[in-house]
Amino acid sequence: MTEHQASSSQAVLVAALYRFAPVADPDPDAVRKTLQAVCDAGQVRGTLLVAPEGLNGTIAGSEAAIAAVLSAIHAMRGFETLELKYAWTDALLFHRMKVRVKREIVTMGQPDLDPANQAGVYVAPTDWNALIADPETLVIDTRNDYEGEIGAFERAVQPNTRSFRDFPDWFRSEGRALIEQTGAKRVAMYCTGGIRCEKSTAFLKAEGVENVHHLEGGILRYLETVGEDQSLWRGECFVFDERVSVGHGLRQGPHTLCRGCRLPVDEAGRASPHYIEGVCCERCHDARDAVQRQRYAERHRQMQIARERGETHLGSAQKD
């Protein structure tokens, strides 16, 4: 029995991981092939990204298979430790294994940053409340607009970016002015699991902002660590898997995923006349033509058939 041992009904281990560290092998594709082979050997599913700045990904499989993949990563120079989170589930959340070589492990359009050495001050979840409650702290959410809509920390500024790549432009056009207008003595930034705020704090420091902090382990570690009665988190946290959203204690939230636009839908959204399960929601109902809607409806029907048979339908993992 290990600390990550599953219950009898939850046999799949999910590991979300990342680390900013130089990939020492001069041929990233060699790293890709090695990791792909280890994952395939253990029937692990998910995605791993390899870039000069580090590794990032989420994988799922048996406990032994996940341990084998992590062992291969730890054997790489500079990756002896990882930012790592585990969860158990009763079904595979992913249906393929892809190891990809990218310019960045989280796309900001700033490949020359050095988060491994230039990130801001790490703040433990237990110390986060005091930091963000201080009126001299400017709190910035580094996630995207649809994520901030369903949950955020108190007092957080929402850049309302459509993608993380938009963050640098937002900071240069609005964020820096906010620091000056508020007279903030420090900036505190957060994201889902820590990777985006680690990179964005490095970006702010490269822009000349020195007193920058970020939530270690992200929202997920905070929700896992801080009790709901003491929490300054409000709402749910969007996650990039079939759970869709989680709350305190990482309990699965009330949101489902629109298969048309891949965005979260709450109970009120599912009550909309524009919501069609597996096809579209209020956001995207007029962005799909009849042929696309018919294709989505057929995919949803096939997924339901597969589910009733206890099988996996690959369409559940596709992004259109």
Side-chain angles (χ1 to χ4, degrees), residues 83-141:
E83 178 63 40
L84 186 60
K85 298 179 182 67
Y86 292 104
W88 285 101
T89 182
D90 56 2
L92 277 173
L93 301 178
F94 313 101
H95 308 294
R96 301 177 181 85
M97 185 65 228
K98 296 180 181 179
V99 184
R100 296 174 172 172
V101 175
K102 297 280 193 175
R103 293 187 67 198
E104 303 173 78
I105 58 172
V106 56
T107 303
M108 193 187 207
Q110 306 289 321
D112 295 328
L113 290 175
D114 184 13
N117 297 302
Q118 296 175 345
V121 177
Y122 294 86
V123 180
T126 51
D127 297 326
W128 182 249
N129 284 359
L131 176 67
I132 68 172
D134 188 329
E136 295 186 327
T137 300
L138 179 65
V139 187
I140 300 177
D141 190 336

Side-chain angles (χ1 to χ4, degrees), residues 225-274:
T225 304
V226 178
E228 189 168 1
D229 59 335
Q230 299 177 323
S231 177
L232 296 182
W233 175 260
R234 302 293 178 257
E236 304 290 324
C237 177
F238 180 81
V239 289
F240 295 88
D241 58 47
E242 290 299 314
R243 292 174 297 173
V244 186
S245 69
V246 296
H248 289 89
L250 302 186
R251 295 185 297 272
Q252 186 166 345
H255 296 82
T256 55
L257 198 68
C258 172
R259 298 295 174 179
C261 61
R262 310 293 297 180
L263 297 181
V265 183
D266 60 12
E267 185 176 354
R270 292 191 292 274
S272 167
H274 293 132

Side-chain angles (χ1 to χ4, degrees), residues 115-191:
N117 297 302
Q118 296 175 345
V121 177
Y122 294 86
V123 180
T126 51
D127 297 326
W128 182 249
N129 284 359
L131 176 67
I132 68 172
D134 188 329
E136 295 186 327
T137 300
L138 179 65
V139 187
I140 300 177
D141 190 336
T142 69
R143 302 172 303 153
N144 299 324
D145 50 5
Y146 60 90
E147 298 172 86
E149 284 178 4
I150 71 170
F153 280 108
E154 287 186 4
R155 301 185 60 246
V157 172
Q158 298 294 328
N160 292 318
T161 50
R162 297 295 299 273
S163 77
F164 190 50
R165 185 184 287 274
D166 298 330
F167 185 85
D169 285 343
W170 173 83
F171 178 77
R172 288 166 177 155
S173 63
E174 298 181 44
R176 187 187 300 279
L178 275 175
I179 297 175
E180 296 172 355
Q181 290 167 9
T182 60
K185 292 186 177 180
R186 68 193 68 83
V187 176
M189 307 171 81
Y190 68 90
C191 62

